[in-house]
Amino acid sequence: MSEKPILAVTLGDPAGIGPEITARTLAEPESGQLARGLAVGDAPVLRRAVSLLGLDVEVNPVSTVEEARFEPGVIDVLDLGIVTEDLPWGEVNATAGASAVAAIEAATKAALNGEVAAVVTSPINKEAIWAAGSKHLGHTEMLGELTGSTRFNTMFWVAGLKIFFATRHLSLREAIEKITKDNIEHAIREAYTALEVFGAEKPTLAVAALNPHGGENGKFGDEEIVAIAPAVEAARAGGLDVVGPIPADSVFHQGLQGRFAGVLSLYHDQGHIASKTYDFDGTVSVTVGLPILRTSVDHGTAFDIAGTGKASHGTMRAAFRAAVELAPYAPKLPGIYPPAR
């Protein structure tokens, strides 16, 4: 790209730590050297965070991306005009939920219109967005509806390894029921496509096993025999470089050692525990299958420390820098994952 990309960074729930970690990240000179960061939320919320943290920056409210100054010592914010007075820290609030939803909508619209190269999101509170009238389970589902995508999924990126999820927000019992040959084969194809989309050449994708020791030939469960291995073989027959099932207690370590470009986790916590234990602050969430680029922190609103200034912005810094690194791939996303018309 000939000039620094513009990244829309949402403030998340105003009562949580999102405004704090966004302010810290956008105030860092290094962030301005990498990209043009534009906060998206309510100017009073950002000002309160800046004051709390004692940051020597000016908050500049704008109504359009074009109005942003992108100058050192200035944090531009696409002002929503929803939160006009201080809200209690660390409490579920419908107004805060409405602000969080509006920020996602505004940032997504800017990305779809090509005004920004990527969207970087701060954490939201599900109870707050539901109190505001949203029916979505979270960010990813909301982004899917806003972009008209039906292929969206989550990719974690940690220490160069990309981790995908065959199932996400399901109980463990429900997730196991979803482990069928067809579902795993579909998840493999989508994960492999994402690896190629984001620059991996001739990638190898490993598929994690479900049961201890990979099932021990059926002694500890037969999902590997009846579903996972057949899906891997079908993908290999289709020309994809896929290996597995590999026992989950070693596959992520092998991936972090560089043996694979990506690992397909079978359920939510299988991949989350591996990545966050290795590097909590360095794990970045990327939503794949969208016509826009979206990166995110991989944690919640931390209501228990909101407003104390104690929140680490390491995950937001990592998400911001990941968006910079992936921004060159953003222009080809609409062709691969076309938005609804």
mmCIF file of all heavy atoms in Angstrom, residues 11-21 42 44-46 48-49 52 83 85-100 122-125 127-129 300-309 311:
data_model
loop_
_atom_site.group_PDB
_atom_site.id
_atom_site.type_symbol
_atom_site.label_atom_id
_atom_site.label_comp_id
_atom_site.label_asym_id
_atom_site.label_seq_id
_atom_site.Cartn_x
_atom_site.Cartn_y
_atom_site.Cartn_z
ATOM 1 N N LEU A 11 -14.588 1.556 20.311
ATOM 2 C CA LEU A 11 -14.342 1.694 21.741
ATOM 3 C C LEU A 11 -14.949 0.561 22.551
ATOM 4 O O LEU A 11 -14.646 0.417 23.738
ATOM 5 C CB LEU A 11 -14.904 3.030 22.246
ATOM 6 C CG LEU A 11 -14.287 4.301 21.660
ATOM 7 C CD1 LEU A 11 -14.919 5.530 22.319
ATOM 8 C CD2 LEU A 11 -12.778 4.315 21.849
ATOM 9 N N GLY A 12 -15.811 -0.252 21.937
ATOM 10 C CA GLY A 12 -16.446 -1.335 22.672
ATOM 11 C C GLY A 12 -17.467 -0.807 23.667
ATOM 12 O O GLY A 12 -18.030 0.283 23.502
ATOM 13 N N ASP A 13 -17.701 -1.552 24.728
ATOM 14 C CA ASP A 13 -18.649 -1.120 25.762
ATOM 15 C C ASP A 13 -18.049 0.044 26.542
ATOM 16 O O ASP A 13 -16.970 -0.087 27.127
ATOM 17 C CB ASP A 13 -18.957 -2.284 26.707
ATOM 18 C CG ASP A 13 -20.124 -1.982 27.630
ATOM 19 O OD1 ASP A 13 -20.024 -1.007 28.414
ATOM 20 O OD2 ASP A 13 -21.124 -2.715 27.575
ATOM 21 N N PRO A 14 -18.725 1.201 26.590
ATOM 22 C CA PRO A 14 -18.181 2.361 27.301
ATOM 23 C C PRO A 14 -17.949 2.146 28.781
ATOM 24 O O PRO A 14 -17.149 2.865 29.395
ATOM 25 C CB PRO A 14 -19.266 3.428 27.082
ATOM 26 C CG PRO A 14 -19.952 3.027 25.822
ATOM 27 C CD PRO A 14 -19.970 1.525 25.866
ATOM 28 N N ALA A 15 -18.632 1.159 29.386
ATOM 29 C CA ALA A 15 -18.463 0.895 30.809
ATOM 30 C C ALA A 15 -17.352 -0.105 31.092
ATOM 31 O O ALA A 15 -17.050 -0.386 32.249
ATOM 32 C CB ALA A 15 -19.776 0.374 31.403
ATOM 33 N N GLY A 16 -16.739 -0.643 30.024
ATOM 34 C CA GLY A 16 -15.681 -1.623 30.184
ATOM 35 C C GLY A 16 -14.310 -1.025 29.919
ATOM 36 O O GLY A 16 -14.128 0.201 29.915
ATOM 37 N N ILE A 17 -13.336 -1.880 29.660
ATOM 38 C CA ILE A 17 -11.961 -1.416 29.477
ATOM 39 C C ILE A 17 -11.651 -1.023 28.038
ATOM 40 O O ILE A 17 -10.556 -0.531 27.762
ATOM 41 C CB ILE A 17 -10.945 -2.479 29.944
ATOM 42 C CG1 ILE A 17 -11.041 -3.753 29.070
ATOM 43 C CG2 ILE A 17 -11.130 -2.794 31.418
ATOM 44 C CD1 ILE A 17 -9.916 -4.744 29.333
ATOM 45 N N GLY A 18 -12.605 -1.218 27.118
ATOM 46 C CA GLY A 18 -12.362 -0.900 25.718
ATOM 47 C C GLY A 18 -11.858 0.512 25.470
ATOM 48 O O GLY A 18 -10.864 0.713 24.755
ATOM 49 N N PRO A 19 -12.519 1.541 26.024
ATOM 50 C CA PRO A 19 -12.034 2.908 25.807
ATOM 51 C C PRO A 19 -10.603 3.118 26.307
ATOM 52 O O PRO A 19 -9.818 3.848 25.691
ATOM 53 C CB PRO A 19 -13.033 3.758 26.587
ATOM 54 C CG PRO A 19 -14.294 2.945 26.602
ATOM 55 C CD PRO A 19 -13.827 1.527 26.724
ATOM 56 N N GLU A 20 -10.258 2.468 27.421
ATOM 57 C CA GLU A 20 -8.916 2.632 27.986
ATOM 58 C C GLU A 20 -7.856 2.007 27.075
ATOM 59 O O GLU A 20 -6.829 2.640 26.781
ATOM 60 C CB GLU A 20 -8.839 1.997 29.376
ATOM 61 C CG GLU A 20 -9.759 2.634 30.403
ATOM 62 C CD GLU A 20 -9.793 1.829 31.689
ATOM 63 O OE1 GLU A 20 -8.703 1.555 32.239
ATOM 64 O OE2 GLU A 20 -10.892 1.461 32.152
ATOM 65 N N ILE A 21 -8.080 0.768 26.641
ATOM 66 C CA ILE A 21 -7.062 0.105 25.828
ATOM 67 C C ILE A 21 -6.979 0.720 24.435
ATOM 68 O O ILE A 21 -5.910 0.741 23.819
ATOM 69 C CB ILE A 21 -7.295 -1.418 25.759
ATOM 70 C CG1 ILE A 21 -8.639 -1.760 25.116
ATOM 71 C CG2 ILE A 21 -7.194 -2.022 27.158
ATOM 72 C CD1 ILE A 21 -8.867 -3.272 24.940
ATOM 73 N N ASP A 42 -18.096 7.212 21.190
ATOM 74 C CA ASP A 42 -18.569 8.515 21.668
ATOM 75 C C ASP A 42 -17.410 9.324 22.214
ATOM 76 O O ASP A 42 -16.636 8.841 23.054
ATOM 77 C CB ASP A 42 -19.630 8.320 22.750
ATOM 78 C CG ASP A 42 -20.897 7.701 22.189
ATOM 79 O OD1 ASP A 42 -21.601 8.394 21.426
ATOM 80 O OD2 ASP A 42 -21.174 6.528 22.505
ATOM 81 N N PRO A 44 -17.220 11.791 24.409
ATOM 82 C CA PRO A 44 -17.106 11.907 25.869
ATOM 83 C C PRO A 44 -16.529 10.661 26.536
ATOM 84 O O PRO A 44 -15.813 10.758 27.539
ATOM 85 C CB PRO A 44 -18.554 12.149 26.318
ATOM 86 C CG PRO A 44 -19.229 12.747 25.131
ATOM 87 C CD PRO A 44 -18.607 12.052 23.953
ATOM 88 N N VAL A 45 -16.827 9.501 25.973
ATOM 89 C CA VAL A 45 -16.300 8.245 26.512
ATOM 90 C C VAL A 45 -14.783 8.196 26.331
ATOM 91 O O VAL A 45 -14.042 7.828 27.252
ATOM 92 C CB VAL A 45 -16.967 7.042 25.816
ATOM 93 C CG1 VAL A 45 -16.269 5.736 26.200
ATOM 94 C CG2 VAL A 45 -18.448 6.982 26.165
ATOM 95 N N LEU A 46 -14.328 8.585 25.160
ATOM 96 C CA LEU A 46 -12.890 8.582 24.903
ATOM 97 C C LEU A 46 -12.180 9.631 25.754
ATOM 98 O O LEU A 46 -11.096 9.376 26.299
ATOM 99 C CB LEU A 46 -12.626 8.828 23.419
ATOM 100 C CG LEU A 46 -11.162 8.747 22.980
ATOM 101 C CD1 LEU A 46 -10.556 7.381 23.313
ATOM 102 C CD2 LEU A 46 -11.032 9.028 21.479
ATOM 103 N N ARG A 48 -13.059 10.674 28.682
ATOM 104 C CA ARG A 48 -12.982 10.178 30.055
ATOM 105 C C ARG A 48 -11.828 9.194 30.202
ATOM 106 O O ARG A 48 -11.096 9.228 31.206
ATOM 107 C CB ARG A 48 -14.306 9.511 30.458
ATOM 108 C CG ARG A 48 -14.267 8.955 31.872
ATOM 109 C CD ARG A 48 -15.621 8.553 32.401
ATOM 110 N NE ARG A 48 -16.146 7.325 31.837
ATOM 111 C CZ ARG A 48 -17.057 6.559 32.439
ATOM 112 N NH1 ARG A 48 -17.558 6.922 33.617
ATOM 113 N NH2 ARG A 48 -17.500 5.467 31.862
ATOM 114 N N ALA A 49 -11.626 8.333 29.215
ATOM 115 C CA ALA A 49 -10.529 7.372 29.279
ATOM 116 C C ALA A 49 -9.178 8.075 29.217
ATOM 117 O O ALA A 49 -8.255 7.733 29.962
ATOM 118 C CB ALA A 49 -10.655 6.367 28.135
ATOM 119 N N LEU A 52 -8.589 9.702 32.591
ATOM 120 C CA LEU A 52 -8.296 8.677 33.588
ATOM 121 C C LEU A 52 -6.840 8.228 33.504
ATOM 122 O O LEU A 52 -6.169 8.042 34.519
ATOM 123 C CB LEU A 52 -9.220 7.477 33.379
ATOM 124 C CG LEU A 52 -8.907 6.204 34.169
ATOM 125 C CD1 LEU A 52 -9.235 6.405 35.637
ATOM 126 C CD2 LEU A 52 -9.666 5.013 33.599
ATOM 127 N N VAL A 83 -23.666 8.382 23.888
ATOM 128 C CA VAL A 83 -23.340 8.575 25.294
ATOM 129 C C VAL A 83 -22.897 10.022 25.485
ATOM 130 O O VAL A 83 -21.862 10.434 24.958
ATOM 131 C CB VAL A 83 -22.224 7.616 25.756
ATOM 132 C CG1 VAL A 83 -21.869 7.877 27.219
ATOM 133 C CG2 VAL A 83 -22.644 6.166 25.561
ATOM 134 N N GLU A 85 -23.037 11.601 28.715
ATOM 135 C CA GLU A 85 -22.603 11.844 30.088
ATOM 136 C C GLU A 85 -21.967 10.574 30.627
ATOM 137 O O GLU A 85 -22.122 9.488 30.055
ATOM 138 C CB GLU A 85 -23.774 12.262 30.973
ATOM 139 C CG GLU A 85 -24.916 11.258 30.994
ATOM 140 C CD GLU A 85 -26.114 11.777 31.767
ATOM 141 O OE1 GLU A 85 -26.316 13.001 31.824
ATOM 142 O OE2 GLU A 85 -26.850 10.937 32.323
ATOM 143 N N ASP A 86 -21.246 10.716 31.721
ATOM 144 C CA ASP A 86 -20.531 9.566 32.279
ATOM 145 C C ASP A 86 -21.496 8.471 32.711
ATOM 146 O O ASP A 86 -22.514 8.726 33.355
ATOM 147 C CB ASP A 86 -19.691 10.000 33.478
ATOM 148 C CG ASP A 86 -18.487 10.835 33.071
ATOM 149 O OD1 ASP A 86 -18.211 10.906 31.855
ATOM 150 O OD2 ASP A 86 -17.833 11.405 33.960
ATOM 151 N N LEU A 87 -21.144 7.246 32.332
ATOM 152 C CA LEU A 87 -21.896 6.071 32.772
ATOM 153 C C LEU A 87 -21.122 5.383 33.882
ATOM 154 O O LEU A 87 -19.898 5.499 33.960
ATOM 155 C CB LEU A 87 -22.070 5.094 31.597
ATOM 156 C CG LEU A 87 -22.832 5.593 30.375
ATOM 157 C CD1 LEU A 87 -22.812 4.535 29.283
ATOM 158 C CD2 LEU A 87 -24.267 5.938 30.747
ATOM 159 N N PRO A 88 -21.801 4.652 34.752
ATOM 160 C CA PRO A 88 -21.081 3.930 35.814
ATOM 161 C C PRO A 88 -20.120 2.915 35.203
ATOM 162 O O PRO A 88 -20.466 2.197 34.260
ATOM 163 C CB PRO A 88 -22.197 3.230 36.590
ATOM 164 C CG PRO A 88 -23.435 3.986 36.263
ATOM 165 C CD PRO A 88 -23.258 4.476 34.855
ATOM 166 N N TRP A 89 -18.909 2.866 35.727
ATOM 167 C CA TRP A 89 -17.946 1.867 35.262
ATOM 168 C C TRP A 89 -18.413 0.469 35.679
ATOM 169 O O TRP A 89 -18.974 0.265 36.754
ATOM 170 C CB TRP A 89 -16.571 2.101 35.884
ATOM 171 C CG TRP A 89 -15.847 3.329 35.437
ATOM 172 C CD1 TRP A 89 -15.649 4.466 36.160
ATOM 173 C CD2 TRP A 89 -15.190 3.537 34.181
ATOM 174 N NE1 TRP A 89 -14.911 5.381 35.431
ATOM 175 C CE2 TRP A 89 -14.614 4.834 34.211
ATOM 176 C CE3 TRP A 89 -15.035 2.766 33.033
ATOM 177 C CZ2 TRP A 89 -13.901 5.365 33.149
ATOM 178 C CZ3 TRP A 89 -14.317 3.285 31.974
ATOM 179 C CH2 TRP A 89 -13.762 4.567 32.026
ATOM 180 N N GLY A 90 -18.156 -0.499 34.840
ATOM 181 C CA GLY A 90 -18.314 -1.892 35.226
ATOM 182 C C GLY A 90 -19.714 -2.363 35.467
ATOM 183 O O GLY A 90 -19.922 -3.328 36.204
ATOM 184 N N GLU A 91 -20.704 -1.712 34.862
ATOM 185 C CA GLU A 91 -22.098 -2.125 35.041
ATOM 186 C C GLU A 91 -22.772 -2.296 33.692
ATOM 187 O O GLU A 91 -22.507 -1.539 32.746
ATOM 188 C CB GLU A 91 -22.871 -1.093 35.863
ATOM 189 C CG GLU A 91 -22.383 -0.951 37.295
ATOM 190 C CD GLU A 91 -23.223 0.047 38.088
ATOM 191 O OE1 GLU A 91 -24.303 0.462 37.581
ATOM 192 O OE2 GLU A 91 -22.806 0.416 39.199
ATOM 193 N N VAL A 92 -23.648 -3.293 33.613
ATOM 194 C CA VAL A 92 -24.429 -3.500 32.397
ATOM 195 C C VAL A 92 -25.375 -2.323 32.215
ATOM 196 O O VAL A 92 -26.101 -1.943 33.139
ATOM 197 C CB VAL A 92 -25.225 -4.818 32.468
ATOM 198 C CG1 VAL A 92 -26.156 -4.944 31.261
ATOM 199 C CG2 VAL A 92 -24.272 -6.000 32.544
ATOM 200 N N ASN A 93 -25.337 -1.734 31.017
ATOM 201 C CA ASN A 93 -26.124 -0.527 30.762
ATOM 202 C C ASN A 93 -26.610 -0.559 29.315
ATOM 203 O O ASN A 93 -25.805 -0.763 28.396
ATOM 204 C CB ASN A 93 -25.250 0.704 31.020
ATOM 205 C CG ASN A 93 -26.006 2.007 30.907
ATOM 206 O OD1 ASN A 93 -26.416 2.395 29.825
ATOM 207 N ND2 ASN A 93 -26.178 2.687 32.030
ATOM 208 N N ALA A 94 -27.904 -0.346 29.115
ATOM 209 C CA ALA A 94 -28.468 -0.406 27.769
ATOM 210 C C ALA A 94 -27.907 0.687 26.868
ATOM 211 O O ALA A 94 -27.695 0.463 25.664
ATOM 212 C CB ALA A 94 -29.993 -0.307 27.833
ATOM 213 N N THR A 95 -27.661 1.871 27.425
ATOM 214 C CA THR A 95 -27.086 2.950 26.617
ATOM 215 C C THR A 95 -25.677 2.582 26.168
ATOM 216 O O THR A 95 -25.287 2.839 25.020
ATOM 217 C CB THR A 95 -27.052 4.269 27.409
ATOM 218 O OG1 THR A 95 -28.383 4.611 27.799
ATOM 219 C CG2 THR A 95 -26.477 5.395 26.571
ATOM 220 N N ALA A 96 -24.914 1.976 27.060
ATOM 221 C CA ALA A 96 -23.576 1.508 26.690
ATOM 222 C C ALA A 96 -23.670 0.454 25.601
ATOM 223 O O ALA A 96 -22.875 0.447 24.646
ATOM 224 C CB ALA A 96 -22.856 0.954 27.918
ATOM 225 N N GLY A 97 -24.648 -0.449 25.726
ATOM 226 C CA GLY A 97 -24.837 -1.469 24.702
ATOM 227 C C GLY A 97 -25.193 -0.871 23.356
ATOM 228 O O GLY A 97 -24.694 -1.300 22.307
ATOM 229 N N ALA A 98 -26.052 0.156 23.372
ATOM 230 C CA ALA A 98 -26.434 0.820 22.120
ATOM 231 C C ALA A 98 -25.228 1.480 21.471
ATOM 232 O O ALA A 98 -25.066 1.452 20.237
ATOM 233 C CB ALA A 98 -27.521 1.854 22.393
ATOM 234 N N SER A 99 -24.356 2.079 22.276
ATOM 235 C CA SER A 99 -23.146 2.708 21.747
ATOM 236 C C SER A 99 -22.220 1.671 21.124
ATOM 237 O O SER A 99 -21.665 1.885 20.045
ATOM 238 C CB SER A 99 -22.420 3.453 22.872
ATOM 239 O OG SER A 99 -21.185 3.976 22.422
ATOM 240 N N ALA A 100 -22.058 0.529 21.816
ATOM 241 C CA ALA A 100 -21.185 -0.524 21.300
ATOM 242 C C ALA A 100 -21.683 -1.054 19.968
ATOM 243 O O ALA A 100 -20.900 -1.254 19.029
ATOM 244 C CB ALA A 100 -21.089 -1.657 22.319
ATOM 245 N N SER A 122 -12.851 -3.450 20.086
ATOM 246 C CA SER A 122 -12.711 -3.608 21.529
ATOM 247 C C SER A 122 -13.841 -4.498 22.031
ATOM 248 O O SER A 122 -14.848 -4.700 21.341
ATOM 249 C CB SER A 122 -12.789 -2.242 22.215
ATOM 250 O OG SER A 122 -11.673 -1.449 21.912
ATOM 251 N N PRO A 123 -13.730 -5.022 23.251
ATOM 252 C CA PRO A 123 -14.742 -5.964 23.746
ATOM 253 C C PRO A 123 -16.091 -5.322 24.027
ATOM 254 O O PRO A 123 -16.171 -4.153 24.417
ATOM 255 C CB PRO A 123 -14.119 -6.511 25.038
ATOM 256 C CG PRO A 123 -13.146 -5.456 25.465
ATOM 257 C CD PRO A 123 -12.617 -4.856 24.199
ATOM 258 N N ILE A 124 -17.139 -6.102 23.806
ATOM 259 C CA ILE A 124 -18.490 -5.680 24.114
ATOM 260 C C ILE A 124 -19.065 -6.613 25.179
ATOM 261 O O ILE A 124 -18.538 -7.698 25.420
ATOM 262 C CB ILE A 124 -19.412 -5.689 22.877
ATOM 263 C CG1 ILE A 124 -19.505 -7.101 22.271
ATOM 264 C CG2 ILE A 124 -18.916 -4.682 21.847
ATOM 265 C CD1 ILE A 124 -20.472 -7.210 21.103
ATOM 266 N N ASN A 125 -20.125 -6.165 25.826
ATOM 267 C CA ASN A 125 -20.805 -6.967 26.828
ATOM 268 C C ASN A 125 -22.117 -7.475 26.253
ATOM 269 O O ASN A 125 -22.958 -6.678 25.822
ATOM 270 C CB ASN A 125 -21.064 -6.129 28.094
ATOM 271 C CG ASN A 125 -21.754 -6.923 29.187
ATOM 272 O OD1 ASN A 125 -22.970 -7.092 29.167
ATOM 273 N ND2 ASN A 125 -20.968 -7.430 30.127
ATOM 274 N N GLU A 127 -24.765 -8.890 27.608
ATOM 275 C CA GLU A 127 -25.980 -8.476 28.305
ATOM 276 C C GLU A 127 -26.350 -7.045 27.949
ATOM 277 O O GLU A 127 -27.532 -6.709 27.815
ATOM 278 C CB GLU A 127 -25.773 -8.586 29.817
ATOM 279 C CG GLU A 127 -25.747 -9.998 30.354
ATOM 280 C CD GLU A 127 -25.702 -10.001 31.865
ATOM 281 O OE1 GLU A 127 -26.664 -9.526 32.501
ATOM 282 O OE2 GLU A 127 -24.683 -10.464 32.414
ATOM 283 N N ALA A 128 -25.339 -6.192 27.774
ATOM 284 C CA ALA A 128 -25.604 -4.789 27.456
ATOM 285 C C ALA A 128 -26.170 -4.637 26.050
ATOM 286 O O ALA A 128 -27.107 -3.852 25.832
ATOM 287 C CB ALA A 128 -24.326 -3.966 27.607
ATOM 288 N N ILE A 129 -25.619 -5.374 25.086
ATOM 289 C CA ILE A 129 -26.155 -5.232 23.723
ATOM 290 C C ILE A 129 -27.544 -5.848 23.637
ATOM 291 O O ILE A 129 -28.400 -5.374 22.887
ATOM 292 C CB ILE A 129 -25.215 -5.807 22.646
ATOM 293 C CG1 ILE A 129 -25.099 -7.336 22.749
ATOM 294 C CG2 ILE A 129 -23.852 -5.144 22.704
ATOM 295 C CD1 ILE A 129 -24.386 -7.972 21.553
ATOM 296 N N GLY A 300 -12.676 -10.151 27.250
ATOM 297 C CA GLY A 300 -13.929 -9.447 27.488
ATOM 298 C C GLY A 300 -13.755 -8.044 28.031
ATOM 299 O O GLY A 300 -12.659 -7.459 27.984
ATOM 300 N N THR A 301 -14.848 -7.511 28.566
ATOM 301 C CA THR A 301 -14.888 -6.110 28.989
ATOM 302 C C THR A 301 -14.215 -5.862 30.335
ATOM 303 O O THR A 301 -13.991 -4.701 30.699
ATOM 304 C CB THR A 301 -16.348 -5.635 29.092
ATOM 305 O OG1 THR A 301 -17.098 -6.578 29.876
ATOM 306 C CG2 THR A 301 -16.982 -5.535 27.715
ATOM 307 N N ALA A 302 -13.905 -6.911 31.075
ATOM 308 C CA ALA A 302 -13.204 -6.791 32.368
ATOM 309 C C ALA A 302 -13.840 -5.726 33.253
ATOM 310 O O ALA A 302 -13.176 -4.811 33.741
ATOM 311 C CB ALA A 302 -11.721 -6.485 32.134
ATOM 312 N N PHE A 303 -15.131 -5.852 33.482
ATOM 313 C CA PHE A 303 -15.853 -4.877 34.303
ATOM 314 C C PHE A 303 -15.224 -4.716 35.698
ATOM 315 O O PHE A 303 -15.340 -3.659 36.320
ATOM 316 C CB PHE A 303 -17.307 -5.317 34.465
ATOM 317 C CG PHE A 303 -18.221 -4.863 33.343
ATOM 318 C CD1 PHE A 303 -19.556 -5.231 33.344
ATOM 319 C CD2 PHE A 303 -17.753 -4.067 32.309
ATOM 320 C CE1 PHE A 303 -20.415 -4.805 32.326
ATOM 321 C CE2 PHE A 303 -18.596 -3.647 31.289
ATOM 322 C CZ PHE A 303 -19.922 -4.015 31.297
ATOM 323 N N ASP A 304 -14.565 -5.759 36.184
ATOM 324 C CA ASP A 304 -14.023 -5.698 37.539
ATOM 325 C C ASP A 304 -12.885 -4.693 37.684
ATOM 326 O O ASP A 304 -12.643 -4.179 38.781
ATOM 327 C CB ASP A 304 -13.544 -7.078 37.993
ATOM 328 C CG ASP A 304 -12.508 -7.679 37.062
ATOM 329 O OD1 ASP A 304 -12.596 -7.458 35.847
ATOM 330 O OD2 ASP A 304 -11.611 -8.379 37.561
ATOM 331 N N ILE A 305 -12.188 -4.377 36.567
ATOM 332 C CA ILE A 305 -11.098 -3.393 36.655
ATOM 333 C C ILE A 305 -11.358 -2.157 35.803
ATOM 334 O O ILE A 305 -10.515 -1.263 35.735
ATOM 335 C CB ILE A 305 -9.739 -4.010 36.272
ATOM 336 C CG1 ILE A 305 -9.765 -4.528 34.823
ATOM 337 C CG2 ILE A 305 -9.344 -5.102 37.246
ATOM 338 C CD1 ILE A 305 -8.383 -4.913 34.304
ATOM 339 N N ALA A 306 -12.513 -2.092 35.157
ATOM 340 C CA ALA A 306 -12.822 -0.931 34.319
ATOM 341 C C ALA A 306 -12.822 0.340 35.156
ATOM 342 O O ALA A 306 -13.348 0.376 36.266
ATOM 343 C CB ALA A 306 -14.181 -1.107 33.652
ATOM 344 N N GLY A 307 -12.207 1.383 34.638
ATOM 345 C CA GLY A 307 -12.162 2.658 35.329
ATOM 346 C C GLY A 307 -11.039 2.790 36.339
ATOM 347 O O GLY A 307 -10.901 3.832 36.973
ATOM 348 N N THR A 308 -10.210 1.754 36.468
ATOM 349 C CA THR A 308 -9.097 1.808 37.420
ATOM 350 C C THR A 308 -7.781 2.181 36.751
ATOM 351 O O THR A 308 -6.807 2.498 37.438
ATOM 352 C CB THR A 308 -8.911 0.459 38.132
ATOM 353 O OG1 THR A 308 -8.478 -0.526 37.169
ATOM 354 C CG2 THR A 308 -10.202 0.002 38.780
ATOM 355 N N GLY A 309 -7.750 2.099 35.423
ATOM 356 C CA GLY A 309 -6.502 2.372 34.708
ATOM 357 C C GLY A 309 -5.531 1.216 34.730
ATOM 358 O O GLY A 309 -4.393 1.345 34.261
ATOM 359 N N ALA A 311 -5.973 -1.785 33.234
ATOM 360 C CA ALA A 311 -6.103 -2.702 32.099
ATOM 361 C C ALA A 311 -4.879 -2.637 31.182
ATOM 362 O O ALA A 311 -4.437 -1.551 30.796
ATOM 363 C CB ALA A 311 -7.362 -2.377 31.305
#
